[in-house]
Amino acid sequence: MHRRSILRRTAVAGSGIGTLSLAGCLERLGFEEESAWSNPPLVQDRPDAVYLPASTEKMARLGTATGDEFAIALGYTIPHRFWLLAGESNQVDVQPSDSLHLMVTVWDRETELVVPATVRLELVREGEEATPVGSLWPMISQQMGFHYGDNVELFGDGTYTARVQVGPLDTDRTGAFGDRLGRTETLTVEFTHAREDVHDLGVEYIDTQRRGTREALDLRTNDSMPSSRGQPLAELPGDHLGTADSGDARVGALVLDAERVGGASERAYLAVTLRTPYNDVMLPFAGLSATVDSGGNGGGSERTGGDEDGGGTETRESLTLTEAVDPTLGHHYGAESDVLSTGQSTADERETTITISVETPPQVARHDGYETAFRAFDDVRFQAQR
């Protein structure tokens, strides 16, 4: 399916920024662009995991903008393929008229936390009518991390204004984010496009012997924008249950008082992180659930919903983990829990098993090296004394 057909069908009605195709615009202006783009080599026999791609594209910055709550960075590289995940993996190839691959990173102005939001783009060439590009794809790449992007057609060289409509967040907001990041802002970046500048970026090729090995390119850092790398789990508050690998993603779990994220004071909060290996980049737009099993110890009191077993009580709790962002925890999936409540007495302490299931894989587009990973997940289990 053609990329722009998908864009038109996934538009959000009434957003104020449309999703009209740019196909044919150059021809209507009497200008036909000959494309020099071609897809770089694709690693054969790729593992069902993160792998080192055959090449990587150099990047350039176009500018940044800051609003009342959100901030953005706009960048580009040469047009290149990527994969959409909509049931099955669909490869999107470069079209002859593509001018560049446009990328937008969004973060909270106050905490500099990169966040998943609704992102739409409109391009205006000086002295001309605005051209709606539409909703950009949420994406992950090994060097760019989590961002929004697409291969975009421009009207040739000149000065452009990118109007980027950001917000609200596509997740729950906990902690100090509870009353922030819930509205829409439009941020603008003016830039000059010259086709030769895009061509000059070029491609860096990876040594043939390393291509396809289970590793990743380093995440690029830039002073003009924060990284989408998650904060180290050891630095997060709460009781840390550990990490486990599933679907080649890294799953982490911790338990803290629900009151710290705006919940009930007598309950616990289970927070689960889902990140890439090697670079610890967040994996948003997934569906997770958890099952909490608390076993009897022969002397504990019966709890609601439990079954007697040898004089003790077994309690099972099923949780739907909601995607959320928190200024301290960062991006995670979480839910309040009765069974994990820290209000039990010491005599009632019991072994608790927490089973995490990824029901829906992260619904993000992927660049080379990520397209075969994060698709099929096995359950992971953590033990806790509560």
Side-chain angles (χ1 to χ4, degrees):
M1 182 180 293
H2 194 283
R3 167 177 56 90
R4 294 179 182 87
S5 297
I6 301 174
L7 266 177
R8 284 195 293 271
R9 283 167 37 176
T10 57
V12 177
S15 66
I17 295 182
T19 55
L20 299 177
S21 168
L22 297 182
C25 291
L26 291 169
E27 290 81 354
R28 288 198 299 274
L29 293 173
F31 176 80
E32 188 164 347
E33 184 176 8
E34 292 294 331
S35 175
W37 316 126
S38 60
N39 282 322
L42 182 62
V43 173
Q44 302 299 313
D45 299 322
R46 294 165 288 167
D48 293 330
V50 175
Y51 69 91
L52 204 61
S55 63
T56 180
E57 298 85 9
K58 294 182 180 179
M59 305 177 193
R61 296 290 173 209
L62 294 174
T64 60
T66 303
D68 293 334
E69 293 190 336
F70 293 104
I72 64 168
L74 189 68
Y76 72 94
T77 183
I78 64 172
H80 55 261
R81 68 171 165 251
F82 56 89
W83 281 261
L84 300 175
L85 188 67
E88 296 182 356
S89 181
N90 299 300
Q91 182 174 326
V92 178
D93 289 316
V94 177
Q95 301 300 311
S97 56
D98 287 333
S99 302
L100 47 77
H101 184 83
L102 200 62
M103 302 173 291
V104 177
T105 300
V106 179
W107 64 92
D108 167 48
R109 175 181 179 176
E110 185 175 308
T111 63
E112 295 193 341
L113 179 71
V114 174
V115 294
T118 303
V119 178
R120 301 182 182 90
L121 173 68
E122 186 178 68
L123 292 173
V124 183
R125 188 180 181 183
E126 56 181 344
E128 297 181 3
E129 234 177 86
T131 300
V133 174
S135 300
L136 297 177
W137 300 111
M139 295 183 161
I140 51 171
S141 71
Q142 292 187 3
Q143 293 197 292
M144 187 67 181
F146 174 71
H147 64 286
Y148 291 81
D150 201 353
N151 294 329
V152 173
E153 299 174 43
L154 298 178
F155 293 133
D157 294 356
T159 300
Y160 290 81
T161 299
R163 297 174 182 164
V164 183
Q165 188 182 89
V166 181
L169 291 193
D170 287 329
T171 67
D172 276 2
R173 293 163 285 130
T174 61
F177 281 165
D179 57 358
R180 299 188 58 244
L181 307 178
R183 60 193 183 94
T184 300
E185 294 184 338
T186 298
L187 309 178
T188 61
V189 176
E190 186 176 287
F191 64 94
T192 300
H193 168 68
R195 193 167 184 267
E196 63 181 13
D197 291 342
V198 184
H199 281 268
D200 287 346
L201 288 178
V203 175
E204 295 178 341
Y205 290 92
I206 309 299
D207 185 86
T208 54
Q209 294 183 338
R210 296 181 62 204
R211 298 176 186 178
T213 58
R214 295 187 62 165
E215 57 179 304
L217 299 166
D218 290 336
L219 190 66
R220 287 179 178 168
T221 57
N222 190 292
D223 292 339
S224 66
M225 57 177 284
S227 166
S228 58
R229 186 194 306 273
Q231 187 174 354
L233 293 182
E235 298 179 8
L236 300 182
D239 297 333
H240 296 259
L241 306 184
T243 60
D245 293 332
S246 179
D248 208 37
R250 185 162 295 155
V251 184
L254 54 92
V255 178
L256 62 157
D257 293 337
E259 192 173 17
R260 297 187 68 169
V261 293
S265 59
E266 71 276 6
R267 306 184 81 190
Y269 186 77
L270 172 65
V272 176
T273 58
L274 188 67
R275 300 176 180 175
T276 68
Y278 313 110
N279 288 326
D280 266 348
V281 171
M282 64 177 181
L283 291 170
F285 309 130
L288 276 69
S289 65
T291 302
V292 183
D293 289 296
S294 183
N297 63 2
S301 61
E302 183 174 348
R303 295 176 58 86
T304 303
D307 297 321
E308 292 185 1
D309 181 12
T313 305
E314 286 188 357
T315 306
R316 167 166 287 195
E317 182 181 43
S318 297
L319 303 173
T320 297
L321 302 180
T322 302
E323 186 174 11
V325 290
D326 182 275
T328 302
L329 300 175
H331 178 271
H332 66 282
Y333 301 84
E336 294 185 34
S337 168
D338 290 318
V339 176
L340 292 173
S341 171
T342 56
Q344 299 180 56
S345 66
T346 304
D348 195 38
E349 188 174 276
R350 60 189 65 198
E351 182 78 13
T352 301
T353 301
I354 303 169
T355 303
I356 307 297
S357 304
V358 179
E359 312 282 355
T360 304
Q363 298 299 293
V364 291
R366 293 98 182 276
H367 290 265
D368 285 20
Y370 277 158
E371 80 281 5
T372 55
F374 323 132
R375 299 183 61 189
F377 292 82
D378 294 324
D379 292 350
V380 297
R381 291 176 176 80
F382 300 98
Q383 301 295 326
Q385 292 288 336
R386 307 303 295 175

Short mmCIF file of all heavy atoms in Angstrom, two decimals, residues 329-384:
data_model
loop_
_atom_site.label_atom_id
_atom_site.label_comp_id
_atom_site.label_asym_id
_atom_site.label_seq_id
_atom_site.Cartn_x
_atom_site.Cartn_y
_atom_site.Cartn_z
N LEU A 329 9.17 8.98 36.94
CA LEU A 329 9.28 7.63 36.38
C LEU A 329 9.54 7.64 34.89
O LEU A 329 10.00 6.64 34.32
CB LEU A 329 7.99 6.84 36.67
CG LEU A 329 7.61 6.64 38.13
CD1 LEU A 329 6.26 5.94 38.23
CD2 LEU A 329 8.69 5.84 38.86
N GLY A 330 9.21 8.73 34.22
CA GLY A 330 9.34 8.78 32.77
C GLY A 330 8.22 8.00 32.11
O GLY A 330 7.13 7.81 32.66
N HIS A 331 8.48 7.52 30.89
CA HIS A 331 7.48 6.73 30.17
C HIS A 331 7.41 5.33 30.75
O HIS A 331 8.43 4.67 30.98
CB HIS A 331 7.85 6.65 28.68
CG HIS A 331 6.91 5.83 27.88
ND1 HIS A 331 7.07 4.47 27.71
CD2 HIS A 331 5.78 6.15 27.21
CE1 HIS A 331 6.07 4.00 26.97
NE2 HIS A 331 5.30 5.01 26.64
N HIS A 332 6.18 4.85 31.02
CA HIS A 332 6.02 3.52 31.60
C HIS A 332 4.58 3.06 31.39
O HIS A 332 3.75 3.78 30.83
CB HIS A 332 6.36 3.53 33.09
CG HIS A 332 5.40 4.34 33.91
ND1 HIS A 332 5.44 5.72 33.97
CD2 HIS A 332 4.35 3.99 34.70
CE1 HIS A 332 4.48 6.17 34.74
NE2 HIS A 332 3.79 5.14 35.20
N TYR A 333 4.30 1.86 31.85
CA TYR A 333 2.95 1.29 31.86
C TYR A 333 2.64 0.94 33.30
O TYR A 333 3.44 0.26 33.96
CB TYR A 333 2.88 0.05 30.96
CG TYR A 333 3.24 0.35 29.51
CD1 TYR A 333 4.57 0.36 29.09
CD2 TYR A 333 2.25 0.62 28.56
CE1 TYR A 333 4.90 0.64 27.77
CE2 TYR A 333 2.57 0.90 27.24
CZ TYR A 333 3.90 0.92 26.86
OH TYR A 333 4.23 1.21 25.54
N GLY A 334 1.49 1.38 33.82
CA GLY A 334 1.26 1.18 35.25
C GLY A 334 -0.18 0.97 35.63
O GLY A 334 -1.11 1.20 34.86
N ALA A 335 -0.37 0.50 36.87
CA ALA A 335 -1.71 0.29 37.43
C ALA A 335 -1.60 0.22 38.94
O ALA A 335 -0.58 -0.21 39.50
CB ALA A 335 -2.34 -0.99 36.90
N GLU A 336 -2.67 0.63 39.62
CA GLU A 336 -2.74 0.51 41.07
C GLU A 336 -3.10 -0.93 41.44
O GLU A 336 -3.83 -1.60 40.72
CB GLU A 336 -3.77 1.48 41.64
CG GLU A 336 -3.38 2.94 41.48
CD GLU A 336 -4.36 3.87 42.15
OE1 GLU A 336 -4.92 3.51 43.21
OE2 GLU A 336 -4.58 4.99 41.62
N SER A 337 -2.57 -1.39 42.58
CA SER A 337 -2.76 -2.78 43.00
C SER A 337 -3.13 -2.85 44.47
O SER A 337 -2.55 -2.15 45.31
CB SER A 337 -1.49 -3.58 42.75
OG SER A 337 -1.53 -4.84 43.39
N ASP A 338 -4.11 -3.71 44.78
CA ASP A 338 -4.44 -4.00 46.18
C ASP A 338 -3.50 -5.05 46.75
O ASP A 338 -3.03 -4.93 47.89
CB ASP A 338 -5.88 -4.50 46.29
CG ASP A 338 -6.89 -3.39 46.02
OD1 ASP A 338 -6.67 -2.27 46.51
OD2 ASP A 338 -7.89 -3.64 45.31
N VAL A 339 -3.21 -6.08 45.98
CA VAL A 339 -2.40 -7.19 46.47
C VAL A 339 -0.97 -6.74 46.80
O VAL A 339 -0.35 -7.23 47.75
CB VAL A 339 -2.38 -8.34 45.44
CG1 VAL A 339 -1.45 -9.46 45.89
CG2 VAL A 339 -3.79 -8.88 45.23
N LEU A 340 -0.46 -5.78 46.01
CA LEU A 340 0.90 -5.30 46.23
C LEU A 340 0.98 -4.19 47.28
O LEU A 340 2.04 -3.63 47.50
CB LEU A 340 1.50 -4.78 44.92
CG LEU A 340 1.77 -5.84 43.85
CD1 LEU A 340 2.19 -5.19 42.54
CD2 LEU A 340 2.84 -6.82 44.31
N SER A 341 -0.15 -3.89 47.91
CA SER A 341 -0.18 -2.82 48.89
C SER A 341 0.86 -3.03 49.97
O SER A 341 1.07 -4.15 50.46
CB SER A 341 -1.57 -2.73 49.53
OG SER A 341 -1.55 -1.85 50.62
N THR A 342 1.54 -1.96 50.34
CA THR A 342 2.57 -2.04 51.38
C THR A 342 1.99 -1.96 52.77
O THR A 342 2.71 -1.92 53.76
CB THR A 342 3.59 -0.89 51.21
OG1 THR A 342 2.88 0.35 51.23
CG2 THR A 342 4.35 -1.03 49.91
N GLY A 343 0.64 -1.95 52.88
CA GLY A 343 0.00 -1.80 54.18
C GLY A 343 -0.15 -3.09 54.95
O GLY A 343 -0.70 -3.10 56.05
N GLN A 344 0.32 -4.23 54.40
CA GLN A 344 0.20 -5.50 55.13
C GLN A 344 1.18 -5.53 56.30
O GLN A 344 2.23 -4.91 56.28
CB GLN A 344 0.53 -6.67 54.19
CG GLN A 344 -0.41 -6.78 52.99
CD GLN A 344 -0.01 -7.96 52.13
OE1 GLN A 344 0.05 -9.07 52.63
NE2 GLN A 344 0.25 -7.72 50.87
N SER A 345 0.82 -6.30 57.32
CA SER A 345 1.70 -6.44 58.47
C SER A 345 2.85 -7.37 58.12
O SER A 345 2.80 -8.13 57.16
CB SER A 345 0.93 -7.03 59.66
OG SER A 345 0.52 -8.36 59.36
N THR A 346 3.92 -7.31 58.93
CA THR A 346 5.08 -8.17 58.69
C THR A 346 4.71 -9.64 58.75
O THR A 346 5.20 -10.47 57.97
CB THR A 346 6.17 -7.88 59.73
OG1 THR A 346 6.49 -6.48 59.68
CG2 THR A 346 7.41 -8.70 59.47
N ALA A 347 3.77 -10.00 59.67
CA ALA A 347 3.36 -11.40 59.81
C ALA A 347 2.66 -11.89 58.56
O ALA A 347 2.61 -13.10 58.31
CB ALA A 347 2.45 -11.54 61.01
N ASP A 348 2.10 -10.98 57.79
CA ASP A 348 1.33 -11.36 56.60
C ASP A 348 2.18 -11.34 55.35
O ASP A 348 1.68 -11.51 54.25
CB ASP A 348 0.15 -10.40 56.43
CG ASP A 348 -0.90 -10.94 55.45
OD1 ASP A 348 -1.13 -12.15 55.47
OD2 ASP A 348 -1.43 -10.12 54.68
N GLU A 349 3.50 -11.13 55.51
CA GLU A 349 4.38 -11.04 54.35
C GLU A 349 4.35 -12.35 53.59
O GLU A 349 4.40 -13.43 54.15
CB GLU A 349 5.80 -10.71 54.81
CG GLU A 349 6.74 -10.42 53.65
CD GLU A 349 8.09 -9.95 54.13
OE1 GLU A 349 8.25 -8.75 54.41
OE2 GLU A 349 8.98 -10.82 54.25
N ARG A 350 4.27 -12.25 52.30
CA ARG A 350 4.15 -13.44 51.48
C ARG A 350 4.91 -13.28 50.18
O ARG A 350 5.22 -12.18 49.74
CB ARG A 350 2.67 -13.71 51.19
CG ARG A 350 1.99 -12.58 50.45
CD ARG A 350 0.49 -12.77 50.37
NE ARG A 350 -0.09 -12.71 51.70
CZ ARG A 350 -1.30 -13.17 51.99
NH1 ARG A 350 -2.03 -13.73 51.05
NH2 ARG A 350 -1.78 -13.07 53.22
N GLU A 351 5.22 -14.42 49.57
CA GLU A 351 5.88 -14.43 48.27
C GLU A 351 4.85 -14.07 47.20
O GLU A 351 3.77 -14.65 47.13
CB GLU A 351 6.48 -15.81 47.97
CG GLU A 351 7.22 -15.90 46.65
CD GLU A 351 8.60 -15.29 46.74
OE1 GLU A 351 9.08 -15.01 47.85
OE2 GLU A 351 9.20 -15.09 45.67
N THR A 352 5.18 -13.09 46.38
CA THR A 352 4.26 -12.63 45.35
C THR A 352 4.92 -12.74 44.00
O THR A 352 6.08 -12.33 43.82
CB THR A 352 3.84 -11.16 45.60
OG1 THR A 352 3.21 -11.07 46.88
CG2 THR A 352 2.89 -10.67 44.54
N THR A 353 4.20 -13.32 43.03
CA THR A 353 4.69 -13.45 41.66
C THR A 353 3.92 -12.49 40.77
O THR A 353 2.69 -12.47 40.78
CB THR A 353 4.51 -14.88 41.14
OG1 THR A 353 5.23 -15.79 41.98
CG2 THR A 353 5.03 -15.01 39.71
N ILE A 354 4.65 -11.70 40.02
CA ILE A 354 4.06 -10.74 39.09
C ILE A 354 4.40 -11.17 37.68
O ILE A 354 5.58 -11.26 37.31
CB ILE A 354 4.58 -9.32 39.37
CG1 ILE A 354 4.30 -8.91 40.82
CG2 ILE A 354 3.97 -8.32 38.40
CD1 ILE A 354 5.01 -7.65 41.24
N THR A 355 3.37 -11.47 36.90
CA THR A 355 3.56 -11.90 35.51
C THR A 355 3.16 -10.76 34.58
O THR A 355 2.03 -10.27 34.64
CB THR A 355 2.72 -13.14 35.19
OG1 THR A 355 3.05 -14.19 36.11
CG2 THR A 355 2.97 -13.62 33.77
N ILE A 356 4.09 -10.34 33.74
CA ILE A 356 3.85 -9.25 32.80
C ILE A 356 3.65 -9.83 31.41
O ILE A 356 4.47 -10.63 30.93
CB ILE A 356 5.02 -8.24 32.78
CG1 ILE A 356 5.34 -7.75 34.20
CG2 ILE A 356 4.71 -7.08 31.84
CD1 ILE A 356 4.23 -6.99 34.85
N SER A 357 2.56 -9.42 30.75
CA SER A 357 2.27 -9.86 29.39
C SER A 357 2.18 -8.65 28.46
O SER A 357 1.54 -7.66 28.80
CB SER A 357 0.93 -10.62 29.33
OG SER A 357 0.92 -11.71 30.23
N VAL A 358 2.84 -8.75 27.31
CA VAL A 358 2.72 -7.71 26.28
C VAL A 358 1.66 -8.21 25.30
O VAL A 358 1.90 -9.10 24.50
CB VAL A 358 4.05 -7.45 25.57
CG1 VAL A 358 3.87 -6.38 24.48
CG2 VAL A 358 5.12 -7.00 26.57
N GLU A 359 0.46 -7.65 25.42
CA GLU A 359 -0.67 -8.08 24.60
C GLU A 359 -0.60 -7.53 23.18
O GLU A 359 -0.98 -8.19 22.21
CB GLU A 359 -1.99 -7.64 25.25
CG GLU A 359 -2.12 -7.94 26.73
CD GLU A 359 -2.46 -9.40 27.00
OE1 GLU A 359 -2.68 -10.14 26.03
OE2 GLU A 359 -2.51 -9.78 28.18
N THR A 360 -0.15 -6.29 23.05
CA THR A 360 -0.04 -5.63 21.76
C THR A 360 1.36 -5.06 21.62
O THR A 360 1.80 -4.30 22.49
CB THR A 360 -1.07 -4.47 21.63
OG1 THR A 360 -2.38 -4.98 21.87
CG2 THR A 360 -1.00 -3.84 20.25
N PRO A 361 2.11 -5.41 20.57
CA PRO A 361 3.47 -4.88 20.43
C PRO A 361 3.46 -3.38 20.19
O PRO A 361 2.43 -2.81 19.80
CB PRO A 361 4.01 -5.64 19.21
CG PRO A 361 2.81 -6.06 18.45
CD PRO A 361 1.74 -6.31 19.47
N PRO A 362 4.57 -2.71 20.45
CA PRO A 362 4.64 -1.26 20.27
C PRO A 362 4.23 -0.86 18.85
O PRO A 362 4.82 -1.33 17.87
CB PRO A 362 6.11 -0.92 20.54
CG PRO A 362 6.60 -2.05 21.37
CD PRO A 362 5.86 -3.26 20.91
N GLN A 363 3.22 0.00 18.75
CA GLN A 363 2.71 0.40 17.44
C GLN A 363 3.48 1.63 16.94
O GLN A 363 2.96 2.74 16.84
CB GLN A 363 1.22 0.70 17.54
CG GLN A 363 0.38 -0.50 17.95
CD GLN A 363 0.48 -1.65 16.96
OE1 GLN A 363 0.01 -1.55 15.82
NE2 GLN A 363 1.08 -2.77 17.38
N VAL A 364 4.73 1.41 16.63
CA VAL A 364 5.60 2.46 16.11
C VAL A 364 6.27 1.95 14.83
O VAL A 364 6.56 0.76 14.70
CB VAL A 364 6.67 2.88 17.13
CG1 VAL A 364 6.04 3.62 18.30
CG2 VAL A 364 7.48 1.68 17.63
N ALA A 365 6.50 2.88 13.90
CA ALA A 365 7.26 2.53 12.71
C ALA A 365 8.72 2.30 13.10
O ALA A 365 9.20 2.84 14.11
CB ALA A 365 7.14 3.64 11.67
N ARG A 366 9.41 1.49 12.29
CA ARG A 366 10.78 1.13 12.65
C ARG A 366 11.73 1.37 11.49
O ARG A 366 11.39 1.11 10.34
CB ARG A 366 10.87 -0.36 13.05
CG ARG A 366 10.13 -0.71 14.34
CD ARG A 366 8.76 -1.28 14.07
NE ARG A 366 7.99 -1.59 15.26
CZ ARG A 366 8.12 -2.71 15.95
NH1 ARG A 366 8.96 -3.62 15.55
NH2 ARG A 366 7.39 -2.90 17.03
N HIS A 367 12.91 1.84 11.81
CA HIS A 367 13.97 1.96 10.83
C HIS A 367 14.80 0.68 10.82
O HIS A 367 14.65 -0.19 11.68
CB HIS A 367 14.86 3.16 11.16
CG HIS A 367 14.19 4.49 10.95
ND1 HIS A 367 14.32 5.21 9.79
CD2 HIS A 367 13.39 5.22 11.76
CE1 HIS A 367 13.63 6.34 9.90
NE2 HIS A 367 13.04 6.36 11.07
N ASP A 368 15.70 0.57 9.83
CA ASP A 368 16.56 -0.61 9.71
C ASP A 368 17.20 -0.95 11.05
O ASP A 368 17.72 -0.07 11.75
CB ASP A 368 17.67 -0.34 8.69
CG ASP A 368 17.17 -0.37 7.25
OD1 ASP A 368 15.96 -0.21 7.05
OD2 ASP A 368 18.01 -0.53 6.34
N GLY A 369 17.17 -2.23 11.39
CA GLY A 369 17.77 -2.70 12.63
C GLY A 369 16.77 -2.93 13.74
O GLY A 369 17.07 -3.61 14.72
N TYR A 370 15.55 -2.36 13.59
CA TYR A 370 14.50 -2.54 14.59
C TYR A 370 13.26 -3.24 14.02
O TYR A 370 12.38 -3.64 14.79
CB TYR A 370 14.05 -1.17 15.13
CG TYR A 370 14.92 -0.61 16.24
CD1 TYR A 370 14.91 0.76 16.50
CD2 TYR A 370 15.72 -1.42 17.04
CE1 TYR A 370 15.69 1.31 17.53
CE2 TYR A 370 16.50 -0.89 18.05
CZ TYR A 370 16.49 0.47 18.29
OH TYR A 370 17.25 1.01 19.30
N GLU A 371 13.19 -3.38 12.71
CA GLU A 371 11.93 -3.83 12.10
C GLU A 371 11.58 -5.29 12.39
O GLU A 371 10.42 -5.69 12.26
CB GLU A 371 11.95 -3.58 10.59
CG GLU A 371 12.71 -4.62 9.75
CD GLU A 371 14.22 -4.43 9.77
OE1 GLU A 371 14.72 -3.56 10.52
OE2 GLU A 371 14.90 -5.18 9.05
N THR A 372 12.55 -6.09 12.80
CA THR A 372 12.28 -7.50 13.07
C THR A 372 12.12 -7.77 14.58
O THR A 372 11.83 -8.91 14.97
CB THR A 372 13.42 -8.39 12.52
OG1 THR A 372 14.67 -7.94 13.06
CG2 THR A 372 13.47 -8.32 11.00
N ALA A 373 12.32 -6.77 15.40
CA ALA A 373 12.26 -6.93 16.86
C ALA A 373 10.95 -6.39 17.40
O ALA A 373 10.17 -5.74 16.71
CB ALA A 373 13.43 -6.23 17.52
N PHE A 374 10.68 -6.68 18.68
CA PHE A 374 9.54 -6.13 19.43
C PHE A 374 8.21 -6.48 18.78
O PHE A 374 7.30 -5.66 18.71
CB PHE A 374 9.66 -4.60 19.56
CG PHE A 374 11.04 -4.08 19.74
CD1 PHE A 374 11.53 -3.03 18.98
CD2 PHE A 374 11.89 -4.65 20.69
CE1 PHE A 374 12.81 -2.55 19.15
CE2 PHE A 374 13.18 -4.18 20.86
CZ PHE A 374 13.64 -3.12 20.09
N ARG A 375 8.07 -7.71 18.32
CA ARG A 375 6.84 -8.11 17.64
C ARG A 375 6.13 -9.26 18.35
O ARG A 375 4.91 -9.27 18.44
CB ARG A 375 7.14 -8.49 16.19
CG ARG A 375 7.73 -7.34 15.36
CD ARG A 375 7.94 -7.72 13.93
NE ARG A 375 6.67 -8.06 13.30
CZ ARG A 375 6.57 -8.59 12.08
NH1 ARG A 375 7.67 -8.86 11.39
NH2 ARG A 375 5.40 -8.87 11.56
N ALA A 376 6.85 -10.25 18.82
CA ALA A 376 6.27 -11.40 19.52
C ALA A 376 6.92 -11.50 20.90
O ALA A 376 8.15 -11.58 21.00
CB ALA A 376 6.49 -12.69 18.73
N PHE A 377 6.09 -11.52 21.94
CA PHE A 377 6.59 -11.45 23.31
C PHE A 377 6.16 -12.67 24.12
O PHE A 377 5.03 -13.14 24.00
CB PHE A 377 6.06 -10.20 24.01
CG PHE A 377 6.60 -8.90 23.47
CD1 PHE A 377 6.05 -8.34 22.33
CD2 PHE A 377 7.64 -8.26 24.10
CE1 PHE A 377 6.53 -7.13 21.83
CE2 PHE A 377 8.13 -7.05 23.61
CZ PHE A 377 7.57 -6.49 22.48
N ASP A 378 7.07 -13.16 24.95
CA ASP A 378 6.73 -14.16 25.96
C ASP A 378 6.49 -13.44 27.29
O ASP A 378 7.02 -12.36 27.53
CB ASP A 378 7.88 -15.16 26.14
CG ASP A 378 8.11 -16.01 24.89
OD1 ASP A 378 7.12 -16.35 24.23
OD2 ASP A 378 9.29 -16.29 24.59
N ASP A 379 5.68 -14.06 28.14
CA ASP A 379 5.45 -13.49 29.47
C ASP A 379 6.76 -13.48 30.26
O ASP A 379 7.61 -14.36 30.11
CB ASP A 379 4.41 -14.30 30.23
CG ASP A 379 3.02 -14.17 29.62
OD1 ASP A 379 2.82 -13.32 28.74
OD2 ASP A 379 2.12 -14.94 30.05
N VAL A 380 6.90 -12.48 31.12
CA VAL A 380 8.05 -12.43 32.04
C VAL A 380 7.52 -12.37 33.46
O VAL A 380 6.42 -11.85 33.70
CB VAL A 380 8.97 -11.23 31.74
CG1 VAL A 380 9.56 -11.35 30.36
CG2 VAL A 380 8.22 -9.92 31.88
N ARG A 381 8.29 -12.89 34.41
CA ARG A 381 7.85 -12.98 35.80
C ARG A 381 8.86 -12.36 36.75
O ARG A 381 10.08 -12.49 36.55
CB ARG A 381 7.58 -14.43 36.19
CG ARG A 381 6.36 -15.02 35.50
CD ARG A 381 6.15 -16.49 35.80
NE ARG A 381 4.92 -16.97 35.19
CZ ARG A 381 4.79 -17.31 33.91
NH1 ARG A 381 5.86 -17.24 33.12
NH2 ARG A 381 3.63 -17.71 33.43
N PHE A 382 8.34 -11.71 37.75
CA PHE A 382 9.16 -11.11 38.79
C PHE A 382 8.64 -11.57 40.15
O PHE A 382 7.43 -11.83 40.32
CB PHE A 382 9.10 -9.57 38.73
CG PHE A 382 9.58 -9.00 37.43
CD1 PHE A 382 8.69 -8.64 36.43
CD2 PHE A 382 10.94 -8.82 37.20
CE1 PHE A 382 9.12 -8.11 35.23
CE2 PHE A 382 11.40 -8.28 36.00
CZ PHE A 382 10.49 -7.93 35.01
N GLN A 383 9.55 -11.67 41.12
CA GLN A 383 9.16 -12.08 42.48
C GLN A 383 9.32 -10.88 43.42
O GLN A 383 10.24 -10.07 43.29
CB GLN A 383 10.07 -13.22 42.97
CG GLN A 383 10.03 -14.47 42.12
CD GLN A 383 8.66 -15.13 42.12
OE1 GLN A 383 7.96 -15.11 43.14
NE2 GLN A 383 8.27 -15.71 41.00
N ALA A 384 8.39 -10.79 44.35
CA ALA A 384 8.45 -9.72 45.33
C ALA A 384 7.97 -10.23 46.68
O ALA A 384 7.12 -11.12 46.76
CB ALA A 384 7.56 -8.55 44.88
#
